[in-house]
Amino acid sequence: MSKDFLQNPDLSYLNLSSGNAFYQLEVPEMVEEALRNEEGTLADSGALAVDTGKFTGRSPKDRFIVFDDITRDAVWWGDINIQFSPENFNSLFLKVTDYLNTKRFYVRDTYACANEEYKTTIRVVTEKAFQNLFAHNMFLRFEAEELGEQPEWTIIAATDFLANPEIDGTRQSNFTILNFTKKIILIGGSGYTGEIKKGIFSVLNFILPEQRDVLSMHCSANVGKEGDTAIFFGLSGTGKTTLSADPERGLIGDDEHGWDDSSVFNFEGGCYAKCVDLTVETEPQIFNAIKFGSLLENTNYFPGSRKVDFSNIEKTENTRVAYPLNYIDHAVLPSVAGLPKNIFFLTADACGVLPPISKLSTGQAMFHYISGYTAKVAGTEAGILEPQLTFSACFGKAFLPLHPIRYAELLGAKLKKHKVNVWLVNTGWSGGGYGVGKRMKLSYTRAMITAALNGELEKVDFTEHPVFGLKMPMTCPEVPLAILNPKNTWPDQQLYDIKANELAVAFIENFKQFDAFENEEMQRSLPKINEITV
């Protein structure tokens, strides 16, 4: 509904003047505002294309949590969750709102969590119109008649406001600060919209497990025609979005979900998909969602045109598009489905050691969940020339306010209660490590996941991996037998044993940070170093 028909809410509680606000604009109005403000241009697809400025990704070292009575003993403090004083927050809040009162700004009421029981209402106040379009696309949308009440949480994003670190207590001029007492997320100095999205995700990662016993998850999820829900965990480059985008299954969501005693539900109302090298052949759902109302970030046009060159990464490899979930043909709306039957942990193992698919016990699932292993290879980040092992607890360490063991134990309890199958899927290398072996064929990975979803892997025999103790299927429809046991794909099998031991050592070393919290099931699931006979 247009601003002409909606009265601006009273924003005095936020130290903001309602007279400067543009409230709950329709998509065409937000696009018009962005174009009027010269924030971006329209691509030939109709999508609004913008540059987010200096920051084309999140700035984790500049994300803070206010240290107070609510967070003091609950938050997992350290290099992920950095303390910020209430006094500095209050001072900076007034500076940001005073700054916005000199501008025209945009206000949107929205909410998170598709399951009504956990609905979290959000007011998003942004300096830029494109940020408000992002909020419209990414969060769940109210009907006009549902508006009116003061939301529970508020996000204030002042793109061009710069902090003074010496006075304001920040590390540098940009910041994202979560205040659980005031229920405000304060963002400044960055136009990257992912700070808005992940700010709320961090909030839900605190509230839902701590207060509601709901497992919050950094994952994609889909559901089959028989109502069987599947969850896909995975870090960047593992295939999470690609493998969950199955035309035969309904998409619940591509990034953030909750799991309670009766359902899996999306936190969001949209998708924030990577665009690098995007084609209609490789990702038809994403490609076709780029149309009027979608928001393209940091892409480039072919010279002399408004046609996006998705292979051009001059600004960043992290090019993105944000669009509402209903832009996907097979989206599940509302985005709620039943309990999961299968869970997939996706890893791109550049060592070529882990099996292409293996079944995990509950203890192993907890261990691999809290490990969150994958490998970054050349090209995934600037400066990476050789493969780098990466461990990110719960496949989303950067967004966890609570200690990872809390999420792992909650996962274990749900696995036992609901009898869920958990699979570790290696979408990385086979026949040798990076530079020697070859990347696992997507068609094989899809076939293995399909076999797991259809229950076909329940009918086959398994063999145990000698180092990691994983149950490897001995056969799988439409997959060559030779690749199911990774050691058999290596020309030098003794070298495989050496590399398997090296990877096992890395897992064990990473797990030492959780030694004080481990339970017996996880301890039994640690890999075992085998003696190698020369």
Side-chain angles (χ1 to χ4, degrees):
M1 186 173 287
S2 167
K3 179 181 182 293
D4 295 336
F5 299 95
L6 286 175
Q7 182 177 357
N8 279 359
D10 180 4
L11 301 175
S12 59
Y13 75 101
L14 293 173
N15 189 43
L16 291 171
S17 169
S18 298
N20 292 0
F22 287 76
Y23 180 59
Q24 215 73 7
L25 297 185
E26 294 280 8
V27 169
E29 294 174 310
M30 286 184 283
V31 172
E32 287 172 357
E33 282 287 306
L35 295 176
R36 190 194 71 80
N37 299 341
E38 298 184 343
E39 296 173 12
T41 56
L42 284 183
D44 64 355
S45 64
L48 177 65
V50 303
D51 291 347
T52 61
K54 176 182 177 181
F55 293 95
T56 58
R58 291 182 307 100
S59 185
K61 293 182 180 179
D62 299 296
R63 171 190 171 277
F64 306 91
I65 296 177
V66 173
F67 183 82
D68 58 21
D69 289 344
I70 290 178
T71 61
R72 180 178 289 106
D73 298 323
V75 166
W76 178 40
W77 299 109
D79 60 345
I80 295 299
N81 300 306
I82 306 167
Q83 296 180 11
F84 202 80
S85 76
E87 295 76 19
N88 279 340
F89 178 88
N90 293 339
S91 173
L92 193 54
F93 171 80
L94 291 176
K95 289 181 181 180
V96 169
T97 51
D98 284 345
Y99 167 83
L100 285 177
N101 279 330
T102 68
K103 309 284 184 181
R104 54 197 283 144
F105 58 86
Y106 305 89
V107 180
R108 176 158 302 279
D109 286 344
T110 182
Y111 67 99
C113 297
N115 187 324
E116 287 284 324
E117 186 176 351
Y118 310 103
K119 177 186 273 189
T120 303
T121 55
I122 308 162
R123 176 162 288 164
V124 187
V125 180
T126 64
E127 180 178 355
K128 304 293 185 182
F130 79 80
Q131 294 174 300
N132 222 253
L133 177 62
F134 175 85
H136 169 272
N137 288 351
M138 287 309 304
F139 296 127
L140 290 152
R141 294 161 285 280
F142 284 117
E143 298 296 332
E145 59 271 17
E146 297 177 289
L147 298 168
E149 295 184 7
Q150 182 173 311
E152 183 180 359
W153 275 83
T154 300
I155 303 171
I156 300 176
T159 308
D160 295 336
F161 176 89
L162 301 178
N164 182 332
E166 293 183 2
I167 297 174
D168 298 321
T170 58
R171 187 181 72 98
Q172 50 185 22
S173 59
N174 65 299
F175 54 88
T176 296
I177 310 170
L178 281 61
N179 189 322
F180 283 93
T181 296
K182 293 183 177 294
K183 297 186 176 181
I184 292 173
I185 300 172
L186 194 62
I187 301 170
S190 173
Y192 182 64
T193 56
E195 299 285 7
I196 295 173
K197 166 186 163 71
K198 292 305 185 186
I200 285 295
F201 185 43
S202 296
V203 166
L204 296 173
N205 281 336
F206 182 87
I207 294 171
L208 293 180
E210 186 76 356
Q211 301 175 8
R212 306 296 298 274
D213 212 32
V214 172
L215 178 61
S216 54
M217 305 177 292
H218 187 212
C219 67
S220 59
N222 63 27
V223 61
K225 295 174 183 177
E226 303 301 319
D228 57 305
T229 299
I231 294 172
F232 298 80
F233 290 94
L235 299 169
S236 179
T238 60
K240 176 165 60 83
T241 299
T242 299
L243 292 168
S244 62
D246 185 336
E248 299 300 316
R249 298 173 64 83
L251 180 67
I252 305 168
D254 77 334
D255 198 41
E256 301 172 7
H257 295 81
W259 176 4
D260 68 2
D261 283 339
S262 60
S263 69
V264 168
F265 58 94
N266 197 347
F267 289 166
E268 301 180 305
C271 300
Y272 192 39
K274 289 185 177 180
C275 291
V276 61
D277 294 327
L278 181 67
T279 67
V280 68
E281 292 80 18
T282 57
E283 298 282 3
Q285 293 92 352
I286 297 174
F287 190 91
N288 292 326
I290 301 176
K291 56 187 178 181
F292 184 77
S294 297
L295 177 67
L296 284 164
E297 293 183 350
N298 302 312
T299 53
N300 295 275
Y301 294 132
F302 285 103
S305 78
R306 293 288 181 89
K307 182 179 176 63
V308 176
D309 179 2
F310 291 109
S311 66
N312 187 322
I313 55 173
E314 291 177 4
K315 296 172 187 171
T316 178
E317 288 191 19
N318 191 36
T319 53
R320 295 272 183 168
V321 60
Y323 51 85
L325 195 62
N326 60 14
Y327 278 23
I328 299 292
D329 290 337
H330 61 292
V332 176
L333 299 170
S335 304
V336 183
L339 294 169
K341 184 177 179 181
N342 290 280
I343 293 176
F344 299 92
F345 294 161
L346 307 176
T347 178
D349 176 23
C351 300
V353 165
L354 295 178
I357 189 168
S358 51
K359 192 172 184 181
L360 309 183
S361 66
T362 297
Q364 288 173 331
M366 294 169 69
F367 171 75
H368 283 276
Y369 184 60
I370 207 168
S371 297
Y373 166 71
T374 193
K376 295 177 183 177
V377 297
T380 55
E381 289 185 8
I384 294 180
L385 302 178
E386 297 292 333
Q388 293 184 1
L389 305 188
T390 301
F391 295 93
S392 181
C394 309
F395 299 96
K397 179 180 178 181
F399 319 119
L400 304 182
L402 306 177
H403 194 284
I405 201 71
R406 173 71 178 112
Y407 306 95
E409 288 178 343
L410 194 51
L411 173 73
K414 290 186 179 296
L415 294 179
K416 292 174 184 176
K417 182 175 181 178
H418 301 298
K419 305 294 190 293
V420 185
N421 296 318
V422 184
W423 309 88
L424 181 66
V425 176
N426 177 17
T427 63
W429 277 257
S430 177
Y434 176 83
V436 177
K438 293 183 178 180
R439 190 84 189 248
M440 184 64 58
K441 287 185 178 181
L442 179 59
S443 60
Y444 293 162
T445 301
R446 286 194 187 278
M448 287 182 277
I449 288 176
T450 298
L453 291 171
N454 293 343
E456 293 173 284
L457 292 188
E458 298 294 324
K459 307 169 187 175
V460 305
D461 293 327
F462 288 79
T463 186
E464 186 174 296
H465 191 279
V467 175
F468 286 88
L470 307 167
K471 291 174 63 178
M472 304 179 293
M474 299 180 70
T475 60
C476 180
E478 300 184 36
V479 177
L481 299 182
I483 72 166
L484 293 173
N485 186 329
K487 183 173 180 177
N488 294 339
T489 67
W490 281 55
D492 185 340
Q493 295 198 353
Q494 187 178 74
L495 180 59
Y496 173 86
D497 291 336
I498 293 171
K499 294 299 181 183
N501 277 352
E502 289 177 359
L503 182 59
V505 168
F507 267 90
I508 294 167
E509 286 298 312
N510 176 71
F511 192 72
K512 285 181 178 178
Q513 63 185 301
F514 306 119
D515 278 350
F517 307 93
E518 70 187 30
N519 61 34
E520 187 178 345
E521 283 181 300
M522 281 194 282
Q523 181 63 42
R524 289 201 306 266
S525 300
L526 265 68
K528 298 173 177 58
I529 310 300
N530 287 337
E531 183 177 346
I532 299 172
T533 303
V534 179

